[in-house]
Amino acid sequence: MKNKKLKIFLSRLLLIYGLHLIIKWGDETFHHFFDFTLRGIYFSTFVIILWMTCIYLLDYLKKKWFVSRKQPYTYLGFCIAYGYIFALITNIVYRYVDTNYFETDWGDIGYFNPMLILGILVLFISALSFNEYFQAELSAKESQILTEKLKKENAIAHYKLLQTQIEPHFLFNSLSVLSSLVHQDAGLSSDFIIRLSRLLRFSMTWNEQMFVPLKEEVDFMLDYFFLMQTRFGNSSITLRNNICIPSTKDFFLPPGTLQTLMENVIKHNSHSLEIPLTVYLYNDEKFIYFGNNIVYKSKKINSTGIGLKNLSQRFTLLCGKGITYNIQKNNFVVRLPVITKNILHAHINY
């Protein structure tokens, strides 16, 4: 990120410096491009500072008011009016200082000089076009690099996810539970088979994707939770799902996010009818929260933290923010950034 900002700054500085030389070339009172008189240094400093400020201020206004790809004509019209204002400021300040402090004779040319203003405006639009092109090329290359990194992170995560779902140990436990259910509850065993098949189908379907709709991810986690709840007993593990988002199709998560967190909860906590394990899921405008009450096991399991670290890296690549987690009043809470289509578009050109 720092390298990108430095490259953009240097490219803009070089561009503005070159354009100010063109303005000097059009002013006959300067003897040559590199006029190191006090007047020449003043002019160079003034033009460079003013127009660097102009471009960076435009960046701010663009982020606040415009999405140029969706409003190209409105943005173009704004840029022309914006450039005209700065060209007019350049003309007025330049003439005032030049005539009052350097006593340069401007003849009958007033504070409003249409030729100078038009010339500066044309140079500004040309500079802006180059700047937009340079930024687009730089963003495209960075997006390509981020996408490759994300694919690598997802490849590792998907492999572990797929391995978790189809490893012999998991299938053995699931089939063992199913064999007991068949003789006890035909309806529950049918639900168990359906959930297990959906679980495996999700692993195969989304295996190559970088992100999945929140609804699909929640359904996948619920299927996994159902299998675990059936295996350990309905009352020993409970889930409170209070996700409240207008349209879960417009929000995304890396595949296997919630299932990984659920697996960690079950792995690192004890659960029984006397002390049940409660998992809760809720959200606000910016984050999704996945938490549980901490029920310590008699024998502590060492945690490498690789799963959460990998998950945080995948979020960072997708939206620029990693996950955070902490302990609040004997509850372990993981905070996941909400990822929207606009955020995906900004970071990976989705």
Side-chain angles (χ1 to χ4, degrees):
M1 184 62 71
K2 290 183 179 179
N3 288 336
K4 180 181 178 181
K5 289 182 178 179
L6 181 60
K7 287 180 181 178
I8 291 175
F9 174 80
L10 292 177
S11 68
R12 289 174 173 178
L13 182 61
L14 183 62
L15 181 63
I16 295 299
Y17 182 78
L19 293 180
H20 112 279
L21 291 180
I22 296 177
I23 299 176
K24 267 189 174 183
W25 175 66
D27 189 337
E28 296 179 355
T29 60
F30 288 106
H31 300 292
H32 50 77
F33 285 150
F34 306 101
D35 190 335
F36 291 107
T37 61
L38 181 62
R39 178 172 177 260
I41 294 173
Y42 153 73
F43 177 79
S44 298
T45 304
F46 165 67
V47 170
I48 291 172
I49 291 177
L50 178 67
W51 285 93
M52 287 292 285
T53 303
C54 168
I55 291 181
Y56 276 98
L57 179 60
L58 182 61
D59 274 350
Y60 171 78
L61 296 177
K62 178 183 175 182
K63 291 177 182 177
K64 189 175 182 179
W65 294 340
F66 296 98
V67 179
S68 59
R69 294 184 180 182
K70 295 182 179 180
Q71 302 170 278
Y73 298 110
T74 304
Y75 178 62
L76 178 60
F78 173 80
C79 287
I80 293 174
Y82 180 83
Y84 179 84
I85 292 172
F86 269 82
L88 185 60
I89 292 173
T90 303
N91 182 87
I92 293 173
V93 175
Y94 176 33
R95 186 191 186 286
Y96 178 81
V97 174
D98 206 25
T99 56
N100 287 275
Y101 291 92
F102 295 104
E103 299 180 351
T104 304
D105 183 15
W106 279 57
D108 58 351
I109 299 176
Y111 281 100
F112 181 77
N113 183 350
M115 293 301 295
L116 178 59
I117 294 174
L118 180 61
I120 294 175
L121 179 59
V122 171
L123 290 177
F124 168 71
I125 296 300
S126 301
L128 182 64
S129 299
F130 174 83
N131 178 65
E132 292 286 346
Y133 174 79
F134 180 80
Q135 281 192 287
E137 286 293 309
L138 198 59
S139 297
K141 289 180 181 178
E142 286 200 342
S143 295
Q144 187 177 5
I145 294 173
L146 285 175
T147 301
E148 291 301 319
K149 287 183 179 179
L150 186 59
K151 285 181 179 179
K152 290 180 181 178
E153 293 290 340
N154 275 329
I156 296 172
H158 283 310
Y159 173 76
K160 292 181 178 179
L161 174 64
L162 189 59
Q163 186 182 45
T164 300
Q165 306 309 323
I166 65 175
E167 65 179 358
H169 182 68
F170 174 81
L171 290 176
F172 175 77
N173 287 333
S174 299
L175 293 175
S176 296
V177 173
L178 183 59
S179 65
S180 300
L181 288 177
V182 169
H183 301 288
Q184 299 174 8
D185 190 329
L188 184 58
S189 62
S190 177
D191 287 342
F192 193 91
I193 292 172
I194 293 172
R195 300 286 187 121
L196 179 60
S197 65
R198 288 202 310 223
L199 195 83
L200 298 175
R201 188 181 304 114
F202 178 94
S203 299
M204 306 298 270
T205 302
W206 295 102
N207 189 40
E208 299 298 328
Q209 303 301 317
M210 294 184 291
F211 49 86
V212 298
L214 178 59
K215 182 181 184 306
E216 299 287 342
E217 181 62 27
V218 170
D219 289 343
F220 175 60
M221 183 272 296
L222 291 176
D223 287 336
Y224 179 82
F225 175 75
F226 177 84
L227 299 185
M228 295 298 102
Q229 189 181 47
T230 303
R231 174 184 169 187
F232 293 112
N234 290 335
S235 301
S236 64
I237 308 176
T238 57
L239 171 65
R240 298 175 184 173
N241 180 14
N242 294 315
I243 285 288
C244 183
I245 293 178
S247 175
T248 53
K249 292 182 179 180
D250 295 329
F251 295 84
F252 303 86
L253 290 176
T257 295
L258 300 181
Q259 183 273 334
T260 298
L261 296 176
M262 180 65 73
E263 183 183 11
N264 282 345
V265 169
I266 296 173
K267 177 181 178 182
H268 294 287
N269 290 273
S270 177
H271 44 86
S272 63
L273 293 176
E274 293 75 20
I275 309 178
L277 178 62
T278 302
V279 181
Y280 49 90
L281 187 64
Y282 63 97
N283 72 284
D284 56 26
E285 292 182 358
K286 296 182 178 180
F287 298 97
I288 295 172
Y289 300 88
F290 191 103
N292 64 278
N293 61 315
I294 300 175
V295 184
Y296 294 102
K297 287 190 171 184
S298 55
K299 186 178 181 181
K300 187 177 180 180
I301 298 176
N302 293 326
S303 175
T304 61
I306 293 176
L308 290 177
K309 183 179 179 181
N310 175 273
L311 192 59
S312 185
Q313 289 174 340
R314 293 164 69 200
F315 267 90
T316 300
L317 291 171
L318 275 178
C319 67
K321 297 179 182 178
I323 69 171
T324 58
Y325 48 89
N326 55 32
I327 296 177
Q328 303 173 358
K329 299 180 180 180
N330 203 45
N331 286 268
F332 185 78
V333 181
V334 180
R335 190 174 71 170
L336 311 169
V338 170
I339 303 176
T340 63
K341 287 184 178 180
N342 289 337
I343 292 175
L344 287 173
H345 177 78
H347 284 269
I348 61 173
N349 286 334
Y350 166 66

